[in-house]
Amino acid sequence: MSDWITDSQDEQNFEGLVRDADQIHIPIFQRSYVWKNKQLAELLADIDQVRSGVEETQFMGAIVAYEKPFRGNAVGRMRALEIVDGQQRILTLYVFVMALVECIASFDKDEALELVRLYLLLPSRRGLEITTRIVPAFADRSQFRIIWDRINSPSILQDKLAEVQLLLPPPSGSAEGELLSQYERILRHIKSELSVDPDNSLEHLREMLGIVTGHLSFVHLKLTDASAATKIFERLNFRGVKVGVVDLVRNEVFASLAEDPVNAQRVFDHIWSPFEAAFVGRAEHFFFPYCLIQDSNTRKSELFMQLRASWKGLAPEQMINDMKPLQGPFLAIDQTGYQSGSKEISRRLDRLVRLRRPASVYPYVMSMLLEYERSSIKEKTVVELLDALESFLIRRAIVGLEPTGLHAVFKGLWGQMKNHNVSEFKRQIKARPTIQWPSDGDVKGAIEKRALARANVCGYILVEYDQSLKGDNPPLLPTIEHILPQTLGEGSEWAKVFNKEQHKHMKDLLANVVPLSSPLNSSLQDSPYNVKKARYKKESMFTTPRALADKWAGWNPKSIEQRTKVLAEWAIARWPVSI
């Protein structure tokens, strides 16, 4: 493949690895599979980087293995690898392919069987005792068999697997654990993505399979002796200082002044240093949106090459001056929330910063602010476009849509808009069928049913609602107070009002939470409502709890239902732009 990260002959993808070795063994007493949701989220982010065009390939590090004699009575030569380091990655990719096979089988069983032959099982051969391409450690084999039993069930591929030799490792270890849990997480993720565009499900599955098997790479370090593993680990895990893009850029800027130390020092002290210092440690995040504004097809892996190409022939001061016009717009959307000369634009930017907008919108907002600073668009237009962007982002957050796919939307959106107005912005979003802009009904439904108290957007919504009420606007960030406590104590006052089912459903609804200062929140905990109500009125610096205490004499399922309607109507009025 031409887009490998390294120039090493030993860089491979999953497809290359299973082609390179007949069978991959994880040492029998190796620790069990331990990857959880955090590591899966990172892997899914890598997959999305490739799918959205940010990267061609994602590098997953090094796999350390050595060739071992093949045990068994198989006819013909068999090549076996023993994994010294990398079992978590390899086993994750293997079960990811299994999950894709399960999903593809519901559309085309023959295609699913072909994938089993290609990636999951060895070709039939006399004398084989185990035919899976990966043989897990003892601790994971029972879970491994349970996953295979699922694939080999009548509803999936049992009739087709009769055509191949399926011999599984003997069961050992617990029947429950992280391997089985991870497989179920992967399945849930795949099915949730298919629900967005069901008409193209099979194509989506094929695309994901191609990324998992072909676009996630690693360097395969082949040991001549397993005893060398310790030395390898010492070097691989040495805690060196990471070289960032800003270091590469700095070197590039000053490369031409290597023979002119006096001028280099002048440029560094008076031009570069103030420029870099203004980022307050966030310079690393500037260069990618800066490059995307110049060429929306830039990938992160090509970032430095793109910078060098765009600066060819420029003097150091010219390179810095080329970046400077976009520094202010970057800082405005990244951290300051401030636009010089406009209180209204600054208010919108501040809200987007507090909302923790995804980085994918940076090129769009930076381009907009640059045009405003050049007087190419009016303040009113910027305000309307930022309001529309906030409505788009907040509605998606309320409904629970991840920012997956937004990079492809926003990386070149400003240049693609024929007219810079809200109608054109909505038209551009609508033209992308896989990107949802939730309707009023979607937002109301999420506020009625979704556990928004656990969502990242909850704190922002509570502050915005509090500021919409008449009263003070405290400068500090609140904590989230559950009026109905998160734990329903037996025999408590709360247990007399809410049954277990009502508590499970209602405790994390938006209607059941209010903003409070940390000390007040900690002191209340699971106090009865009459205690909370009195202290809300007397001690809360936020308006919301005081207003709630005045409006509801008691707190029960009916109260939560009533407040849910109030909040749902407020939310669609507060973020009214939709398509």
Side-chain angles (χ1 to χ4, degrees):
M1 187 170 178
S2 61
D3 290 291
W4 287 140
I5 302 299
T6 75
D7 62 359
S8 169
Q9 295 298 309
D10 293 318
E11 186 169 358
Q12 288 182 314
N13 52 26
F14 182 80
E15 182 177 4
L17 183 66
V18 296
R19 188 173 56 237
D20 191 36
D22 293 302
Q23 205 163 58
I24 299 163
H25 292 254
I26 295 167
I28 55 177
F29 292 113
Q30 185 77 285
R31 69 174 180 172
S32 62
Y33 182 84
V34 295
W35 272 21
K36 295 182 172 62
N37 195 47
K38 177 181 181 292
Q39 289 80 14
L40 177 61
E42 291 168 353
L43 175 62
L44 294 175
D46 285 342
I47 292 170
D48 186 59
Q49 291 275 293
V50 176
R51 185 169 55 196
S52 61
V54 174
E55 300 285 9
E56 177 65 23
T57 304
Q58 283 292 76
F59 185 62
M60 297 184 70
I63 300 293
V64 183
Y66 70 97
E67 190 166 349
K68 58 177 242 176
F70 187 86
R71 302 188 194 95
N73 303 310
V75 174
R77 184 178 180 276
M78 292 283 290
R79 187 173 182 218
L81 286 180
E82 182 117 337
I83 296 291
V84 178
D85 184 52
Q87 69 144 321
Q88 307 291 328
R89 280 162 284 173
I90 294 301
L91 202 46
T92 302
L93 294 179
Y94 186 90
V95 298
F96 207 120
V97 173
M98 291 183 77
L100 287 166
V101 164
E102 177 175 335
C103 294
I104 289 171
S106 64
F107 297 94
D108 189 330
K109 291 185 184 295
D110 288 326
E111 181 173 338
L113 179 64
E114 189 57 33
L115 297 174
V116 168
R117 285 177 162 147
L118 188 61
Y119 298 114
L120 303 179
L121 292 182
L122 294 168
S124 298
R125 188 181 299 192
R126 189 156 46 87
L128 280 175
E129 297 174 3
I130 299 172
T131 56
T132 55
R133 286 195 174 273
I134 287 183
V135 183
F138 276 0
D140 295 320
R141 290 187 180 182
S142 290
Q143 296 171 70
F144 188 70
R145 286 183 68 98
I146 289 170
I147 299 171
W148 264 111
D149 288 343
R150 183 180 176 117
I151 301 290
N152 192 27
S153 63
S155 63
I156 301 177
L157 274 185
Q158 189 178 71
D159 55 335
K160 291 293 180 181
L161 287 176
E163 302 174 23
V164 298
Q165 191 179 28
L166 177 59
L167 300 171
L168 302 175
S172 57
S174 173
E176 296 179 356
E178 288 301 330
L179 184 63
L180 186 57
S181 297
Q182 196 73 294
Y183 183 80
E184 291 166 351
R185 289 188 198 105
I186 293 168
L187 267 181
R188 285 196 298 271
H189 172 77
I190 294 171
K191 290 176 180 178
S192 71
E193 289 210 337
L194 296 185
S195 67
V196 174
D197 188 15
D199 293 337
N200 294 306
S201 293
L202 188 54
E203 285 306 310
H204 180 80
L205 290 167
R206 288 168 177 161
E207 179 189 38
M208 192 177 294
L209 178 76
I211 294 171
V212 170
T213 59
H215 292 264
L216 304 178
S217 73
F218 41 82
V219 171
H220 178 189
L221 300 180
K222 302 166 187 173
L223 305 181
T224 55
D225 182 352
S227 64
T230 303
K231 188 176 290 186
I232 292 286
F233 290 154
E234 287 175 358
R235 298 301 183 265
L236 284 178
N237 297 320
F238 180 75
R239 295 186 178 182
V241 178
K242 182 182 177 183
V243 177
V245 176
V246 69
D247 302 301
L248 298 174
V249 169
R250 190 188 307 110
N251 292 343
E252 180 69 15
V253 167
F254 289 96
S256 64
L257 295 178
E259 305 302 320
D260 188 357
V262 173
N263 194 30
Q265 191 67 52
R266 177 189 66 81
V267 174
F268 182 83
D269 289 342
H270 299 289
I271 301 175
W272 174 264
S273 290
F275 173 73
E276 184 178 351
F279 286 109
V280 197
R282 294 285 296 172
E284 285 290 315
H285 304 271
F286 167 76
F287 298 105
F288 189 40
Y290 165 72
C291 282
L292 287 171
I293 290 169
Q294 299 176 73
D295 181 355
S296 63
N297 292 318
T298 302
R299 295 190 175 99
K300 272 190 175 178
S301 57
E302 304 165 345
L303 174 57
F304 189 57
M305 290 186 291
Q306 169 67 26
L307 288 169
R308 295 188 77 176
S310 67
W311 291 338
K312 190 174 182 180
L314 297 183
E317 289 162 276
Q318 292 173 312
M319 295 179 193
I320 299 168
N321 289 335
D322 189 64
M323 293 184 282
K324 268 189 174 179
L326 282 165
Q327 185 179 45
F330 168 80
L331 292 171
I333 185 60
D334 184 72
Q335 51 189 294
T336 66
Y338 173 74
Q339 175 61 51
S340 176
S342 176
K343 289 183 179 179
E344 290 303 312
I345 294 176
S346 295
R347 282 178 57 203
R348 271 74 181 179
L349 290 171
D350 176 66
R351 291 204 295 252
L352 287 170
V353 171
R354 288 191 288 108
L355 175 58
R356 290 186 287 186
R357 66 282 154 265
S360 53
V361 307
Y362 281 26
Y364 173 72
V365 177
M366 288 165 63
S367 297
M368 184 192 308
L369 298 179
L370 182 64
E371 293 300 310
Y372 171 73
E373 290 178 356
R374 290 173 172 173
S375 301
S376 299
I377 54 173
K378 296 180 179 179
E379 178 188 60
K380 182 174 180 289
T381 301
V382 176
V383 166
E384 290 172 349
L385 286 169
L386 291 177
D387 281 342
L389 175 62
E390 184 185 352
S391 280
F392 172 70
L393 295 175
I394 199 76
R395 282 173 174 250
R396 287 176 60 88
I398 288 172
V399 171
L401 294 171
E402 296 293 328
T404 303
L406 294 189
H407 170 79
V409 174
F410 286 100
K411 64 179 183 177
L413 180 59
W414 187 258
Q416 294 161 3
M417 292 173 69
K418 296 176 182 177
N419 301 296
H420 293 118
N421 56 44
V422 173
S423 296
E424 175 65 8
F425 175 65
K426 292 198 289 187
R427 189 189 73 79
Q428 289 283 345
I429 301 296
K430 194 172 183 179
R432 295 166 168 85
T434 59
I435 301 300
Q436 294 173 272
W437 190 327
S439 66
D440 290 357
D442 295 330
V443 173
K444 286 182 178 180
I447 291 174
E448 288 172 1
K449 298 175 183 177
R450 190 165 175 250
L452 277 167
R454 297 204 298 263
N456 291 332
V457 75
C458 183
Y460 178 76
I461 295 173
L462 292 181
V463 169
E464 288 301 297
Y465 182 70
D466 195 75
Q467 291 182 355
S468 73
L469 303 175
K470 292 180 180 179
D472 299 329
N473 292 324
L476 80 166
L477 291 174
T479 59
I480 296 173
E481 146 78 345
H482 288 70
I483 307 166
L484 167 63
Q486 296 178 72
T487 302
L488 192 65
E490 273 190 49
S492 67
E493 291 297 315
W494 290 109
K496 297 174 184 177
V497 183
F498 292 85
N499 61 40
K500 288 184 179 179
E501 192 60 35
Q502 289 169 329
H503 176 262
K504 180 181 178 182
H505 168 64
M506 292 183 161
K507 65 184 175 66
D508 288 316
L509 292 180
L510 183 63
N512 187 53
V513 291
V514 293
L516 279 188
S517 66
S518 181
L520 181 54
N521 195 346
S522 298
S523 67
L524 286 172
Q525 295 191 8
D526 57 355
S527 300
Y529 180 65
N530 62 339
V531 173
K532 289 189 173 188
K533 181 174 63 170
R535 295 190 65 188
Y536 288 167
K537 287 183 178 183
K538 186 178 179 181
E539 301 176 43
S540 174
M541 66 178 65
F542 293 94
T543 308
T544 305
R546 299 198 303 266
L548 181 138
D550 287 335
K551 187 176 178 76
W552 281 283
W555 197 247
N556 51 51
K558 186 71 174 175
S559 310
I560 294 177
E561 290 171 6
Q562 290 171 347
R563 189 168 187 246
T564 292
K565 292 179 181 178
V566 171
L567 292 176
E569 292 298 330
W570 167 80
I572 62 173
R574 170 64 184 78
W575 295 287
V577 186
S578 70
I579 51 174

